[in-house]
Amino acid sequence: MPSTPVEQTLMASLQLLLLLLVLCPFQKVSSVGVNYGTLGNNLPSPKRVAQLLQSTLIDKVKIYDTNPEILEAFSNTGIDLIVAVENYHVANISSEVSAADEWFANRVLPFIPATSIVAIAVGNEYLTTDPDHLRPNNLVQAMQNLHAVLVARGLDRKIKITTPHSMAVLASSFPPSASSFATTLMPTMTSLVGFLADTGSPFMVNAYPYFAYRDNPSSVNLQYALLGNATGVRDPMGYIYNNMLDAQIDAVRSAINALGYGNQTVKITVSESGWPSKGDPGDTAATPDNAKTYNTRLIQRAQSNKGTPMKPKDNIEIFVFALFNENKKDGGVSERNFGIFNGDGSKVYDVDLSCQFCSNEGAFEFGEKTSSGVRGPSVWCVAKPHADEKVLQAVLDFCCGPGGVDCREIYESGNCFAPDKLHAHASFAMNAYYQMHGRNYWNCDFKGTGLVTFSDPSYGKCRYPQQ
């Protein structure tokens, strides 16, 4: 049967869309992660934290266990989670695959897919925390066992297995181009990096310029440590570093290359980096001003989509340390004061985490919040903070066209036209479509760009409809 003119037009449109997808591949959008530690007796509830993080530019959260209350709180938030195997569980999980499967079935499986768990960190600084009692071989075996569990369950593409290291795994970190892993760790690191390369998992490193400056203030430039030295430090191979963090990342990169993995893709993730606002007596580095400067620049660095002098095109994923001050944490005063927020929810210093249209006027605070929406069981659909703009444009065109949404409010004379930004307009249209079609979770998917929220995204005279 010959096709109708309408079908011919539709087919032509689909062919054009496919051609555009081939010619204009989507760009990876940089994300900002944060470490959410819970060693405090005065912290907000996980549910409150999860709700309010949706109001920010944070779209990935790393925790240090598999706290079920946290995993439940982050379900259907659109925020990715990295969970962890505590150091003392590594030996058991390394013993056999069945032990790893039992751990996964009890700790992680009940919460997916509602909670977006994208990685499991096996241990934390395992190789350098307690070398007298923690066996290095157990770490690699535990990672292999957990990966086998994911493969058997068909989850290895969604969830990656990795482990965060301290900079102490390196024999030296300067100059970056000459860095290598500590000799005693070389066999373990060879196996570990090989595993990461084979599974497409990132190498995680906890990198803290703060400690380098605190311990050597006479030889380390403060602005270089604070990510802001424009003069730069020159590596013998010609690389110029304007901040210490990039030099630390490239030191890890050189150590990986020295193992013979230079031709394989092993992405590097900064799993922790931050600056404390308070330290022990005599610690002149740990101040609120320095912490604000470092973390502001760190967040900008995470969003920049830039690499390092050795690999300028390789985007570096970064997790800020930390969300809260933790008053029950061991160690010196600085260890309890890395947080952007105090335990009572007040800001230690002002760092802009706002994300317009993620919730009410982008506000982010842990106090009581008045809602400008209708009271009762309300839920809305908005665009994810870092959604690809090409996808959002296609979603907007669909909603305001074949989707049947009345988009007059986001036209130039409408109450929701300002600000004239794609993310704002797409959020309004996506929510209207979501409300029209019964508020089922699949009505807010939109190729993975939609996010269900319990916070009313209305602002000013712009009212987001609800069912």
Side-chain angles (χ1 to χ4, degrees):
M1 179 182 294
S3 58
T4 66
V6 173
E7 290 172 332
Q8 291 173 350
T9 301
L10 179 59
M11 182 60 67
S13 298
L14 289 173
Q15 290 172 339
L16 177 60
L17 177 59
L18 289 172
L19 179 62
L20 288 172
L21 289 174
V22 172
L23 295 178
C24 305
F26 297 150
Q27 292 183 342
K28 182 176 178 61
V29 179
S30 298
S31 61
V32 179
V34 71
N35 286 276
Y36 174 17
T38 56
L39 296 178
N41 61 5
N42 58 348
L43 303 180
S45 70
K47 183 177 181 180
R48 185 66 173 154
V49 173
Q51 287 175 339
L52 290 174
L53 280 181
Q54 292 180 81
S55 309
T56 75
L57 49 74
I58 301 296
D59 61 359
K60 285 195 174 184
V61 171
K62 179 172 158 285
I63 62 175
Y64 293 88
D65 49 26
T66 51
N67 183 326
E69 190 178 359
I70 294 178
L71 268 59
E72 177 66 29
F74 278 87
S75 64
N76 301 311
T77 60
I79 296 174
D80 293 336
L81 248 62
I82 295 178
V83 300
V85 178
E86 299 93 326
N87 283 349
Y88 58 84
H89 278 308
V90 171
N92 180 56
I93 289 176
S94 72
S95 62
E96 52 188 336
V97 174
S98 61
D101 187 72
E102 181 179 1
W103 180 91
F104 182 82
N106 291 333
R107 300 290 197 95
V108 178
L109 192 61
F111 300 97
I112 57 177
T115 301
S116 178
I117 297 172
V118 296
I120 299 174
V122 182
N124 184 48
E125 300 186 351
Y126 184 89
L127 297 176
T128 52
T129 295
D130 188 5
D132 294 334
H133 299 95
L134 299 178
R135 296 178 57 192
N137 290 342
N138 285 349
L139 177 63
V140 179
Q141 189 60 57
M143 294 170 70
Q144 292 171 338
N145 287 353
L146 276 172
H147 179 69
V149 169
L150 296 177
V151 170
R153 293 179 177 273
L155 293 170
D156 55 304
R157 291 180 180 271
K158 167 68 173 175
I159 303 175
K160 296 299 179 182
I161 303 296
T162 184
T163 183
H165 303 281
S166 74
M167 290 294 292
V169 298
L170 300 180
S172 64
S173 59
F174 194 86
S177 62
S179 178
S180 62
F181 290 115
T183 304
T184 55
L185 294 176
M186 203 69 78
T188 300
M189 297 308 294
T190 301
S191 299
L192 195 151
V193 174
F195 169 84
L196 298 178
D198 291 342
T199 60
S201 302
F203 186 103
M204 284 189 162
V205 61
N206 299 340
Y208 288 92
Y210 158 73
F211 290 114
Y213 176 78
R214 183 197 67 180
D215 297 340
N216 301 280
S218 62
S219 57
V220 176
N221 179 277
L222 177 59
Q223 287 305 312
Y224 181 65
L226 290 172
L227 311 184
N229 180 22
T231 58
V233 174
R234 182 177 292 272
D235 179 275
M237 295 299 292
Y239 303 113
I240 298 176
Y241 291 92
N242 293 319
N243 66 79
M244 183 181 287
L245 181 62
D246 280 0
Q248 291 177 325
I249 294 168
D250 274 353
V252 171
R253 196 185 307 278
S254 291
I256 292 173
N257 293 346
L259 293 178
Y261 292 97
N263 294 325
Q264 292 182 259
T265 300
V266 179
K267 292 190 70 66
I268 296 173
T269 292
V270 177
S271 41
E272 288 183 14
S273 192
W275 198 286
S277 59
K278 185 179 180 181
D280 290 304
D283 184 352
T284 59
T287 67
D289 283 345
N290 284 347
K292 175 182 177 178
T293 297
Y294 184 85
N295 282 328
T296 296
R297 290 172 177 172
L298 185 66
I299 290 169
Q300 292 170 349
R301 173 72 179 81
Q303 294 182 292
S304 69
N305 231 353
K306 294 179 181 178
T308 60
M310 280 189 192
K311 289 280 188 178
K313 295 182 180 179
D314 282 11
N315 176 53
I316 304 296
E317 188 171 57
I318 295 174
F319 288 79
V320 180
F321 188 88
L323 187 58
F324 294 109
N325 283 339
E326 299 171 76
N327 64 359
K328 292 298 181 180
K329 201 169 185 181
D330 293 334
V333 173
S334 64
E335 289 294 328
R336 293 182 287 279
N337 288 278
F338 271 90
I340 296 174
F341 291 90
N342 291 302
D344 63 5
S346 61
K347 283 186 177 181
V348 179
Y349 46 85
D350 189 32
V351 171
D352 186 9
L353 299 176
S354 63
C355 171
Q356 279 189 309
F357 309 108
C358 296
S359 71
N360 280 349
E361 302 181 6
F364 182 56
E365 54 190 48
F366 287 94
E368 290 301 316
K369 186 174 183 180
T370 58
S371 171
S372 57
V374 178
R375 295 187 178 276
S378 304
V379 65
W380 294 264
C381 174
V382 295
K384 288 182 178 178
H386 300 279
D388 187 277
E389 290 197 350
K390 292 185 177 68
V391 180
L392 284 185
Q393 185 62 60
V395 168
L396 179 61
D397 293 343
F398 165 77
C399 290
C400 296
V405 171
D406 182 355
C407 290
R408 286 177 292 183
E409 287 284 18
I410 56 176
Y411 294 164
E412 192 163 356
S413 60
N415 288 329
C416 300
F417 173 75
D420 184 13
K421 293 183 178 180
L422 176 60
H423 188 281
H425 291 180
S427 291
F428 180 89
M430 291 160 73
N431 178 69
Y433 181 89
Y434 172 69
Q435 304 293 342
M436 284 169 54
H437 291 273
R439 300 195 302 188
N440 302 298
Y441 69 87
W442 57 84
N443 298 132
C444 188
D445 182 65
F446 296 111
K447 299 292 185 182
T449 63
L451 167 66
V452 172
T453 177
F454 294 96
S455 298
D456 186 355
S458 300
Y459 59 96
K461 293 183 179 180
C462 178
R463 315 309 304 164
Y464 275 56
Q466 58 181 328
Q467 194 179 61

